[in-house]
Amino acid sequence: MSNLLAGGLSAVITLIGMPSFIHYFRARNEGQMIREEGPKWHQKKSGTPTMGGLVFIVAIIVAAIISGLAFHLLTTNLVMLLFVLLEFGLIGCWDDSIKLLKRQNEGFKAWQKLLGQIIGGLIFYWVIKETGVALQLSIPGIGIWHLGGWYALFVIFWLVGFSNAVNLSDGLDGLVAGLSTIAFATYAIIAAKLNQPAVMLFCWTVVGAMLAFLVFNHKPAKVFMGDMGSLALGGALGAVSIILNQELSLLLVGIVFVLETLSVILQVLSFKLTGRRIFKMSPIHHHFEMLGWSEWKVDTVFWIVGLIGALITLISIW
C-alpha cells in the first residue's frame, strides 16, 4: 500500500505540474541550447523547455515524505536517498541555469561540478557509516572484499561516476527516463527481497515520477529533464545500490549507462593516441543515430538491453 501511494502520488504531482512548467518556459522563450557537435538533425530541438527534472524531483521528495510519514518509513536511509537526489539535482540546476542565462550549451566548469558531487558523496558516506552500512563489496565468484576507510573513496567514485554516466546518456528523447524506470523498478524488487521497505518506497516513488515524465519526454519531447534531472537520477541510483549493499549489481542493472560512458572514454583515448575515432559519434547512442537508426529504435533497443541486464541481475540474486 505504501509503495502504491508513493508511486501514484509522485506520478500525479508530475502529471499536474509539468504542463504549467512547460508553459512557463515557452512563455519566456527559454529552452535547451543544442550543442553544435551533435547530430545536425537535433538542432530542431533547440528551444525545447529543459530542467524538467525540477518537477519530478519535487514530486519524488513530496511523495516520499508523505508516504514515509504515513507508513512510518521516513528512516535515515530514505532521508539520505532524498538528500542525494536533491543535492545532485541542485548541482544540475545551477549548471542548467548558467546555460539558460548565457544561452549556450556549456554550464559549470568540470571541476566545479565534480567538487559539488564529491561533497555530496562525502556527506552521504559519513551518514550511512553511522547507520551501520557494511563497508564492503560483495564480488560474485570471489567473495567479500572489506574496504574499511577506503570505502569512502568507493562511495564517491560510485556516486560521481553514475551521476555523470546517466548525464551522458541523456541525449535522446525518453532514453534516460525509460532506463531509469527499469533500473529503479529492479532495485525496488531487490529491496523487497532484502526487507528494506524504505528503499523500496523510494524506488517506486522514482518509478512513478519517471513514467509520468515519459508522457512529456517521449519523442517528440515537449520537455527535457536537463542536467538537474539526469545528475540527480544517477546519483540516487548509485546511492540505492550502496545502501542495499548491492553495489556491483549496478554494472548490470545500469549496463547502458556503463556502455555510454565507456564509449566516450574509448573515443577520446583513441583520438588522442591514434588520431582516429572508434565510433561515428559518442556517446554511443549518437553512433547508432549516425548509422541511420531512428531515435525510437535506439530507445527501444537500449531499453531492451537495460531490461535484459536487470533480469539477469534479479535471476542471479534469487
Side-chain angles (χ1 to χ4, degrees):
M1 187 63 182
S2 61
N3 302 313
L4 182 62
L5 173 63
L9 188 55
S10 66
V12 169
I13 294 173
T14 302
L15 288 171
I16 292 175
M18 198 63 73
S20 297
F21 179 86
I22 294 171
H23 176 75
Y24 173 80
F25 263 70
R26 289 204 178 280
R28 293 171 61 89
N29 196 30
E30 293 182 351
Q32 178 72 43
M33 301 300 294
I34 304 300
R35 66 189 183 102
E36 295 181 0
E37 297 83 359
K40 299 302 180 185
W41 52 89
H42 279 215
Q43 292 301 319
K44 63 183 179 182
K45 299 183 181 185
S46 185
T48 301
T50 187
M51 286 179 65
L54 173 63
V55 177
F56 67 68
I57 287 173
V58 170
I60 292 168
I61 293 174
V62 171
I65 290 176
I66 291 175
S67 303
L69 288 172
F71 294 93
H72 308 290
L73 292 174
L74 196 59
T75 63
T76 301
N77 283 345
L78 179 55
V79 171
M80 287 313 300
L81 289 173
L82 293 176
F83 163 76
V84 171
L85 183 81
L86 179 60
E87 201 267 351
F88 279 65
L90 288 175
I91 294 171
C93 178
W94 193 355
D95 194 35
D96 287 331
S97 298
I98 293 173
K99 295 174 185 176
L100 289 174
L101 288 172
K102 293 185 176 181
R103 294 190 176 276
Q104 62 183 33
N105 191 253
E106 296 298 326
F108 258 160
K109 290 182 173 60
W111 70 266
Q112 293 173 318
K113 184 186 296 185
L114 180 61
L115 178 61
Q117 292 171 320
I118 289 174
I119 291 173
L122 283 172
I123 295 173
F124 175 74
Y125 165 75
W126 180 77
V127 174
I128 64 168
K129 179 184 176 183
E130 297 301 314
T131 63
V133 171
L135 309 182
Q136 61 188 32
L137 296 179
S138 178
I139 305 175
I142 297 177
I144 302 299
W145 186 17
H146 299 278
L147 296 179
W150 292 102
Y151 193 72
L153 292 178
F154 172 80
V155 168
I156 293 171
F157 170 76
W158 214 237
L159 295 189
V160 173
F162 274 96
S163 177
N164 291 320
V166 174
N167 183 238
L168 284 173
S169 304
D170 186 30
L172 299 181
D173 298 354
L175 179 58
V176 164
L179 290 171
S180 296
T181 299
I182 294 168
F184 280 100
T186 302
Y187 278 117
I189 296 171
I190 294 174
K193 177 176 175 58
L194 298 178
N195 193 28
Q196 293 272 14
V199 179
M200 180 169 60
L201 182 144
F202 174 80
C203 290
W204 285 125
T205 305
V206 177
V207 169
M210 286 298 96
L211 289 175
F213 181 67
L214 264 172
V215 173
F216 308 95
N217 185 237
H218 70 77
K219 183 176 176 60
K222 299 179 180 66
V223 64
F224 300 140
M225 67 174 63
D227 288 358
M228 184 173 191
S230 58
L231 291 176
L233 289 171
L237 197 55
V240 165
S241 71
I242 288 170
I243 288 179
L244 292 176
N245 280 138
Q246 296 291 322
E247 299 92 340
L248 298 186
S249 67
L250 189 49
L251 295 176
L252 261 181
V253 175
I255 188 170
V256 174
F257 301 134
V258 174
L259 293 175
E260 293 269 26
T261 305
L262 284 176
S263 71
V264 173
I265 294 172
L266 291 173
Q267 185 86 322
V268 172
L269 286 176
S270 177
F271 188 74
K272 286 188 175 181
L273 294 175
T274 69
R276 297 180 179 179
R277 292 179 172 86
I278 299 174
F279 307 101
K280 290 182 177 294
M281 186 177 292
S282 65
I284 199 170
H285 56 258
H286 288 321
H287 171 78
F288 288 104
E289 276 194 290
M290 300 297 285
L291 290 176
W293 288 25
S294 68
E295 283 193 56
W296 268 119
K297 183 175 181 179
V298 177
D299 280 351
T300 302
V301 172
F302 279 33
W303 290 343
I304 291 173
V305 171
L307 183 60
I308 291 173
L311 290 175
I312 293 173
T313 302
L314 291 175
I315 292 171
S316 66
I317 288 177
W318 249 259

